[in-house]
Amino acid sequence: MTRIITYLLIVLFSTAPMSICADEKTEFFEKKIRPVLVKHCYECHSAASDEAKGKLLLDFRGGLRKGGDSGPAVVPGKPKQSLILEALRYESFEMPPKKKLPAAVIADFEQWIRQGAVDPRDKALSPAEAAASTWKLQLAERSRWWSLQPLRNVSPPAVRKSAWSKETIDRFVRSALERANLPPATPARAETLLRRLSFVLTGLPPKPEQVQAFSLASSKDAEEALIQLVDELLASPHFGERFARHWMDVVRYTDTYGYEWDTPAKGSWEYRDYLTRAFNDDIGFDQLIREQIAGDLLPQPRINKRAGVNESMIGPMFYHMGEHRHGNSLQFNGIHQEMVNNKIDAFSKAFLAMTVSCARCHDHKLDAISQADYYALAGVFMTPRWTSRLIDAPGKNDAALAKLKRLRAEIHKRIGAAWTAKSGTLMTGPSLRKWAHENRPSLKSAKLGGISWPLAQLLSEKDTTETWSWLTTEWRTTRASRLKANADKFTVLSDFHEPGFPPGWSVEGDGIAHGYVADGAPLVSLTGNTLIDELLPRGYHTHAISSTLPGAVRLPAQNSVPGSVVSLELRGGEWAGHLVVPQNAFQNEPLTFYDASASRKWVSITDVGLKNGVTRVFPELVTASLHPNFPPRTGLAKAGKVTLASQDDGFNKRSWFSLTGIVGHKAGGTPADTLEVFAPLFEGEPAATEQDAWQRIAKWFSGAIDRWAANAATPEDVKLINWLLKQNLLPNQSKDAPNIASLVKQYREVEAGIAFPRSVNSMDERGVASLNYRLNVRGNVDEEGPMIPHNFLEVFVGKHQVAESQGSGRLELAEYLSSRNNPQTARVYVNRVWQSVFGRGIVATPNDFGKLGDQPSHPELLDWLAAQFMKEGWSTKKLVRRLVLSQTFRQSSTVTQAAADRDPDNNLLHHYPTRRLEAEAIRDSLLAVSGRLDPQLFGPPINPPRLVEDAAKRLFSGPLDSNGRRSIYMKMSIMDPPKFLVGFNLPDLKLPTGRRDVTNGPSQALALLNNPLVVQLSEHWAASLVKDGQRTPDERIRVMFIRALGRKPSDKELQRWTEAVSSFSESSKLMTDKAAWAELAHVLFNLKEFIYYR
Amino acid sequence: MNRESTSSRCPGRMAGDYSRRSFLKNSSAGFGWLALSGLLADRAFTAEHQAARTHFPAKAKNVIFCFMDGGPSHVDTFDPKPMLKQQEGKVIGEGAVSKRSQSSANRVWLGSPWKFKQHGQSGQWVSDLFPRLAGVADELCVVRSMVGELPLHGQQNLLLHTGRILGQAPSMGAWVSYGLGSENQNLPGYVLLNNDWVPNGGLENFGSSYLPASHAATMLRPQGVPVDNIKPSDSLTLQQRKLALLAEQDREFAAQAADGSVIEGAIANYETAFRMQSAVPIVANISRETKHIQKLYGVNSKDTHQQLYASQALRARRLVEAGVRFVEITCPSFDGNNSPWDQHSQIKKNHEKNARVTEQSVAALIIDLKQRGLLDETIVVWAGEMGRTPHTPKVTPTCGRDHHVNGYSLCMAGGGFKGGVAYGQTDEFGNGVVENKADIHDIHATLLNQLGVNHEHLTFRHGGRDQRLTDEHGRVIKELLQ
């Protein structure tokens, strides 16, 4: 408190120029008048207001004295003439309009005016100054809000009925009930508790064997049985799925990016599986905070050896959920601003239960969040590149790669030896001359630059010496002019004579880490009868060892590299390509994919003009798995004549590219070939005779082969040998060399064992400068205001290092939020868990702990739980266990009349509420009860059943029952989410949802009555029932009740259902009448008791 | 109900109490405050009920919204610009560039491939693209001065439907359903006659957002089973037997449950659902119409797309007759188009195809409603989310027009709108508005006004404030009204 007052004073004294020795009258103004003006008047009557109402400014002395349209607001010493008093008293104007101020405050104003209306605010303020000074005062007041205070050190209250409590939390609950003079409900029956626990912890109904076992165990030792059951359920792999789905609501989980084309959100499902693993392994929530905010930056990432992944790297996929626009802000201003708004909204609601995105256009109306805070945070989230990252555990392929490298070297050696051995017969003047004559038609068109150019010329009828001189001259002059042109126009940034990239370039993936080769590394053939495909020129080839390996080369921001064009010497195939990303709009649509059939060529990427708030444009060269926008919208993935099919989800491509040169330049054009390959031929004396000429050609070739065999090939040698290979002038078939073929076979076997890479859209800020953002005045993207340094919210100033960060500040932000110094995160999270267990949070608005949210029903309990949670390592399972073993949780759902009258909303938890199953739990129950459930965890999403497909938007239909998989594995397409689930309040996939709606409509009745899935599952269940060997209808109905409802039927029910099934049957053999039992199953599925639990 | 905001723009929560009553109010029947009194009574709508629920006497009871998805070109339909032909091929220059248009200075003007003529007694201008609509020119109330926010489909679709370019708000059909309720207890208040595809902006265009879910559009498919799960999986007698067993069992469960009223609500839904099973197919069945009427709409067309659209248009009339408040019809998409009217190229060929598919049925709706005396109380709206650029990168036989929201046209008929008028004006190229600028909020306000609703007072508490279809905007355009 003292701190806040001190702060307030500093603010007061620094925003208004005034004498140091404030006299009493000034002090009166500062204490009694100014705060009222700020709080109640400035919104409409300050320089910062959009338009001062009645042209009246109350934020400086002159404004009050001059007054507005109606005359002076204040006449010093003359209360009667001061219009402001009339207005405050609601005599003429009624100000402030919402509510009259207390009489004491109005009296202060009167006293102040009577005493001369001393007002130190002597200068009119600019709108910015006015906003800042108003904001500082508001912030000081708003930062006193309950949720921003540190956790209190709470001791559990004493209660009269202490025996009731099982867990400490019960004392808080019971104490509140005692104060209200309300009794708790009686304990729930064992079967009710089992069903409740099963849904709360796993989202599935209890299995029949559990029903029997628990009933038996409970009758022996209820306490022990319960503890055992809870531990069993906490250990179930379905616990992770259940709690993952809760968090998926909060982070707006989606498998697609929505908008016009609903393109796939790369790696969403990996994130979904990451959550499931994390909750099953009970990873501390502090760690999950760190991973989701800054998992790519953690000094010690969490490697999951069992799953073979770097879990931490998956976390930042959190940012990428929700809707993404295609295009970029250079085309249409507003695109990146909307995207960052989505991140800020999800981040602040998920971790802080704060609505920071409200402050995009103006300071928050009620909470301690300024507009500057919003843009400070925008800088944090926009600094990194939003791009794909590999999540494979490091070193996954190391052993295989080392083996492949050894094999490649051995193959090189043996082929080298084989070719040199045959060089004497193959590479002779006469044999080449003969070959050239035989291939005359194809050589005839040879142009300058091609290897066959001199050969073709030698075939002409002209004199050999003359031809040779002409060739030499032609070569010399062309070469000289090209050398000069290249030197004049281009700055070589790398020719890869050494491994590595120019400063500021960053790379990713084994394709790059193991992709550098010196001149002449053989590319071993992975299919067919050839030994090698070609020799690789020096540089990076992501497929140098295996085209399964991923690779990315990320260029520094455009406009930061010298020259306005960068040209890259490239080749590639199978959906490798490059993209140019303005301000993280990676769904930008001009995309280039490389055509594998094209030869190596220079590709230019030209700087674009910056506007519309775009400050950075990042080009990336990527293989398919590291392409953040692959597969892009349908029809956009084109390479040569091939278009990616819309059904192709883009997984598991043998994608590759080669990068063999980089130049920078200002004007257009690309470097020309300087014809070095001919140097050995034309340097020295001209050939005297035809024979000599062909001999020279032969030597030209054999020299290349010799050097290659000795591991000393030049770039020119590589060209020559590749040409020879293409002309079939060198033995390269398996049958030519069985001993080499066996090595190639071995190579292929090892290579086939390399798994396809796994990747997610995540973040990468290596080599990236931190970004500050300009405020958008009134949120208008076309009106840029001052630059706001990147930072976290001002209300937490001094507690974290975000502003000091050399990078984005995400790591510092993550550290702060996962530390005990932040009062919000643990509170917000335990409240969410409480909600999932009890149906409603201690704060009923889990995404908003601000003024528009609800206040906690049990504030001390919330603090105690949060503290305990942190003490126990942020363990979700321990927290859940504590809650479900409480007496509070064990209450039945019966309500006394007193409780219904005095606390109808059950704020005090005097019973356990009747809860409807969530959409997923309804569908999963149908699967589980009918016996169709496939309990398999993880994997890519499955298309929901659709009556109509839309290939352009990739809305395809899957099997009616989605192969029996749980609903969490159905594809969540923003444009058309699974209809059955939507009908039961699946949340809007675009938006962070803290608490799901539970609505009730006829369409739900229609779905359960008529949806083919429900009918099919009824039949599926009936089919197994008639085989199960129950002998009487009673017996079978008992089985069905236990399975569907977790309880035995009463005698009355038995009679009722037996009559019903007989009425459904037209057969004399009721027990084998599948149709009749299917009808009965169908009715069970439609029971309210089936979709509600209590 | 979810009490906290789901808006990413200015989130908060739905304020108010959380009593059982409020739960009920927002759940099963999902009535808005306007509709509460009327719908609690289990009986069909009467005129007095509506009067009791509206802010002032309504001119119209229903809306049929013919959504021309993709953006039909204004300068080829309702806004004649001879200057475009005169200046065709000439560079538009920097002055004609706008953020509300896919434009750049080096583009060239493009004349309309269609001729414009004046029609009817009013002399309303309609191009040859729409011969049948020209026949009802005297009923059309054209607005030529529409301005949108961004020339992009997703945003404009959401703006047109929800009044927000980011969506995350209820569709106008949902607002109308919420505000006025349904006239027929067996049918929903907002029906979408979809042509089996999802428009840009997604199904959110037709959603209820923070309004109770029952106000979201119920979709009627053009072929096969009209509504999801509407076809009974059982014979009538079997289903009744099942429902009887269900009712007995459910009532016992409700009696035991602490929050029995919620369960009661769910039970009541089975009764409504049961009735909907027979009501919906009847109203969707156009074979009950005479051959003459079917022909008027074009149901007999050889073009399958036109057949679909005509059937849906005819269903629209049947639905409003049956008391559905707001019916929307989308256009069929063909050739894998992103959206039907989006002709960046081949505008001649494909605008003609779109016109062939839709305009006869829209004209038929107006004629049919009029001869039944229903046009006075039904507003027919014809609107896309945008217009198209009066310019193009290069004039070629296959060229097209791009996105344009800086002045475009839409029109209304019936429901107290003036016929045969054209309101507002664009410049001589159709490139910007020079007179009586109007936006979607104004259209929303005006439509609600005709339904007897003050757009400033039709509100729902959400995100800490009273939300409206028209947000902070909207002006009733009195000049359009009789």
Side-chain angles (χ1 to χ4, degrees), chain B residues 49-76:
Chain B
H49 280 104
Q50 182 173 12
R53 275 186 253 134
T54 55
H55 298 120
F56 35 76
K59 295 281 192 315
K61 283 159 59 175
N62 315 94
V63 178
I64 298 175
F65 173 25
C66 303
F67 174 32
M68 297 293 132
D69 192 346
S73 166
H74 56 300
V75 293
D76 296 315

Side-chain angles (χ1 to χ4, degrees), chain A residues 860-909:
Chain A
E860 297 196 320
L861 171 56
L862 185 60
D863 280 11
W864 183 87
L865 268 179
Q868 198 65 26
F869 175 63
M870 290 192 281
K871 217 181 285 170
E872 290 178 347
W874 303 66
S875 154
T876 302
K877 282 192 178 179
K878 284 181 184 152
L879 173 62
V880 171
R881 193 175 188 277
R882 186 182 295 287
L883 301 188
V884 299
L885 285 176
S886 70
Q887 195 63 273
T888 311
F889 182 81
R890 297 187 208 181
Q891 292 180 97
S892 70
S893 66
T894 45
V895 192
T896 62
Q897 195 55 50
D901 290 345
R902 273 181 278 149
D903 180 24
D905 294 344
N906 197 23
N907 282 323
L908 298 176
L909 293 158

Side-chain angles (χ1 to χ4, degrees), chain A residues 218-523:
Chain A
S218 290
S219 65
K220 288 180 187 153
D221 181 345
E223 192 67 24
E224 186 50 38
L226 184 67
I227 291 170
Q228 213 178 335
L229 173 70
V230 166
D231 288 337
E232 193 183 303
L233 290 170
L234 285 171
S236 158
H238 300 309
F239 172 84
E241 292 173 318
R242 175 73 167 165
F243 277 72
R245 186 58 245 188
H246 290 322
W247 185 247
M248 284 155 72
D249 284 7
V250 179
V251 299
R252 77 228 183 279
Y253 179 86
T254 159
D255 284 305
T256 68
Y257 283 135
Y259 197 62
E260 285 190 19
W261 299 91
D262 222 11
T263 53
K266 185 170 228 147
S268 268
W269 60 275
E270 293 276 15
Y271 172 84
R272 177 242 284 146
D273 292 350
Y274 152 85
L275 292 177
T276 301
R277 286 191 299 269
F279 285 111
N280 276 339
D281 297 345
D282 201 22
I283 302 303
F285 196 73
D286 55 340
Q287 177 67 12
L288 296 186
I289 292 173
R290 283 191 288 273
E291 288 175 355
Q292 290 177 88
I293 295 174
D296 56 312
L297 299 173
L298 298 186
Q300 282 178 305
R302 183 164 62 92
I303 308 301
N304 185 332
K305 288 215 174 106
R306 198 159 27 108
V309 292
N310 172 355
E311 300 277 17
S312 300
M313 189 60 92
I314 306 175
M317 179 75 208
F318 147 76
Y319 291 103
H320 291 287
M321 300 292 167
E323 193 168 50
H324 275 236
R325 291 264 303 272
H326 66 74
N328 67 72
S329 297
L330 295 173
Q331 298 169 302
F332 295 108
N333 199 7
I335 288 179
H336 71 273
Q337 296 93 330
E338 270 176 34
M339 295 192 309
V340 78
N341 183 263
N342 178 288
K343 315 292 166 233
I344 290 176
D345 186 42
F347 159 80
S348 65
K349 283 179 177 166
F351 297 106
L352 299 165
M354 289 175 91
T355 53
V356 178
S357 60
C358 274
R360 180 178 178 179
C361 312
H362 46 71
D363 292 340
H364 199 287
K365 294 285 185 201
L366 297 161
D367 294 339
I369 306 159
S370 70
Q371 193 185 3
D373 281 341
Y374 175 94
Y375 291 90
L377 207 46
V380 173
F381 295 151
M382 281 304 257
T383 288
R385 298 173 193 247
W386 300 355
T387 191
S388 290
R389 299 300 301 268
L390 292 169
I391 60 168
D392 288 315
K396 191 173 97 172
N397 298 317
D398 284 1
L401 293 176
K403 192 158 189 203
L404 290 170
K405 276 186 191 167
R406 277 199 306 276
L407 282 166
R408 182 177 66 182
E410 188 59 27
I411 291 167
H412 183 165
K413 202 171 119 195
R414 290 199 197 174
I415 295 180
W419 288 353
T420 1
K422 291 201 175 161
S423 198
T425 49
L426 290 173
M427 297 299 144
T428 63
S431 69
L432 285 167
R433 183 175 177 276
K434 185 165 168 274
W435 177 86
H437 275 280
E438 282 163 10
N439 290 278
R440 196 183 189 112
S442 68
L443 294 179
K444 221 175 167 185
S445 61
K447 286 188 201 133
L448 175 68
I451 306 292
S452 45
W453 173 62
L455 282 75
Q457 299 304 322
L458 285 174
L459 293 180
S460 72
E461 304 300 314
K462 285 179 200 152
D463 172 66
T464 303
T465 321
E466 206 175 298
T467 303
W468 197 269
S469 316
W470 177 78
L471 283 168
T472 308
T473 317
E474 195 73 355
W475 170 70
R476 279 223 172 91
T477 49
T478 311
R479 180 181 184 228
S481 74
R482 287 187 182 179
L483 275 169
K484 182 169 185 312
N486 283 356
D488 288 350
K489 280 196 199 162
F490 304 101
T491 311
V492 177
L493 299 177
S494 180
D495 63 1
F496 295 110
H497 64 273
E498 297 270 329
F501 285 85
W505 294 51
S506 64
V507 297
E508 177 147 14
D510 278 350
I512 298 293
H514 300 272
Y516 179 79
V517 297
D519 281 300
L523 185 67

Side-chain angles (χ1 to χ4, degrees), chain A residues 14 23 49 67 115 195 208 289 370 779 829 847 877 940 1038 1047:
Chain A
S14 59
D23 63 12
S49 319
Q115 292 178 349
R195 190 169 154 83
I289 292 173
S370 70
Y829 183 70
N847 275 1
K877 282 192 178 179
R1038 258 189 220 109
R1047 67 173 176 90

Side-chain angles (χ1 to χ4, degrees), chain A residues 887-945:
Chain A
Q887 195 63 273
T888 311
F889 182 81
R890 297 187 208 181
Q891 292 180 97
S892 70
S893 66
T894 45
V895 192
T896 62
Q897 195 55 50
D901 290 345
R902 273 181 278 149
D903 180 24
D905 294 344
N906 197 23
N907 282 323
L908 298 176
L909 293 158
H910 44 68
H911 71 276
Y912 193 84
T914 300
R915 301 174 69 183
R916 202 201 70 204
L917 294 177
E918 297 87 348
E920 294 89 339
I922 292 175
R923 186 181 160 280
D924 293 353
S925 291
L926 290 168
L927 294 172
V929 170
S930 65
R932 183 64 188 90
L933 180 74
D934 175 352
Q936 187 196 329
L937 274 69
F938 310 135
I942 299 158
N943 274 310

